[in-house]
Amino acid sequence: MALHITGDTAADTLLTDDPLALLIGMLLDQQVAMETAFAGPLKISERAGTLDAAAIATFDPDAFAELFKATPAVHRFPGSMAARVQALCAAVQQDWNDDAAAIWTTPAAGGAEAPDGATVLTRLKALPGFGEQKAKIFLALLGKQYGYTGEGWREASAPYGEDGSFRSVADIVSPDSLAKVREHKRAMKVAAGGAMRRRSVDASRGKVEQARDEPCRNPGEGLNP
């Protein structure tokens, strides 16, 4: 299934054809627009001349960071994200024989079929830069758009694996779905901001009430006679 995430044909083609590109795009998807994050692998490939995990892992770190800084920048935090991409590629090289797709295609120990969703989630969470949420979103993307059919992938990626949802990049298949995902993210940010403000108000009220409950101290209390 061809991916349509960035709105750029060349970038989307690379994501579709190269599992490592998709994995790197997911890593970059933080504190920048989704389209910018997933267009990053194409920029890296063009500037580094490769998108091979071993080659990127052993790339000179300073030179690799400079590739991220070139205009247009790969990410708004080029230095730190360049280091994270190299760490991710090192893990793919060392743990998965330079094959990103092996993360979700290699059978579990003693098995003969594709690993189940829970196994793939565990593998993703072990990668540098992949926390619980990012791992679940990527698992949902694999299941919804990348042909992964391991048992229980929807449950393991919940709530992002839910059919018909518009929560993440896993649900972007068109400009219309992109708009719906953006709206969902905006709503979540507003809700999070409201919750934070309520906690702040509650904390302030708690301090005021505590101060009211404390007994007044006499000016001379505790002083030697």
Side-chain angles (χ1 to χ4, degrees), residues 23 38-39 47 56-58 63 102-103 110 137 141 149 159 167 171 178-179 196 206:
L23 195 65
F38 283 90
R47 296 170 187 178
I56 291 177
T58 57
I103 297 169
I137 291 173
L141 177 58
T149 58
R167 287 188 172 90
D171 304 307
L178 172 59
M196 186 176 296

Side-chain angles (χ1 to χ4, degrees), residues 62-104:
D62 292 335
F64 195 64
E66 288 301 316
L67 298 180
F68 269 59
K69 295 176 184 177
T71 304
V74 174
H75 197 278
R76 65 182 297 191
F77 300 113
S80 61
M81 294 311 295
R84 289 187 184 185
V85 168
Q86 287 196 284
L88 174 64
C89 288
V92 171
Q93 175 198 14
Q94 296 164 12
D95 300 336
W96 301 102
N97 197 29
D98 212 20
D99 179 14
I103 297 169
W104 55 89

Side-chain angles (χ1 to χ4, degrees), residues 22-64:
L22 191 64
L23 195 65
I24 291 174
M26 188 72 245
L27 176 67
L28 295 172
D29 187 19
Q30 57 188 67
Q31 298 182 298
V32 293
M34 288 177 288
E35 304 96 305
T36 300
F38 283 90
L42 179 62
K43 295 187 182 80
I44 295 170
S45 177
E46 292 174 341
R47 296 170 187 178
T50 181
L51 205 65
D52 174 74
I56 291 177
T58 57
F59 212 95
D60 177 77
D62 292 335
F64 195 64

Side-chain angles (χ1 to χ4, degrees), residues 119-206:
T119 298
V120 174
L121 181 66
T122 298
R123 292 174 178 179
L124 290 170
K125 288 165 60 178
L127 295 173
F130 275 71
E132 177 90 10
Q133 183 183 44
K134 190 179 289 290
K136 284 189 171 188
I137 291 173
F138 191 76
L139 177 57
L141 177 58
L142 293 176
K144 289 183 175 183
Q145 300 197 52
Y146 219 63
Y148 171 69
T149 58
E151 183 179 355
W153 70 264
R154 287 192 188 274
E155 292 78 5
S157 63
Y160 303 100
E162 180 184 341
D163 189 28
S165 66
F166 294 97
R167 287 188 172 90
S168 71
V169 67
D171 304 307
I172 298 174
V173 296
S174 65
D176 180 60
S177 57
L178 172 59
K180 291 180 179 179
V181 170
R182 279 179 173 163
E183 181 57 35
H184 172 78
K185 287 179 175 289
R186 276 194 291 268
M188 294 298 290
K189 286 182 179 179
V190 170
M196 186 176 296
R197 286 192 294 273
R198 286 192 294 273
R199 286 195 296 270
S200 178
V201 170
D202 290 343
S204 297
R205 287 175 177 169

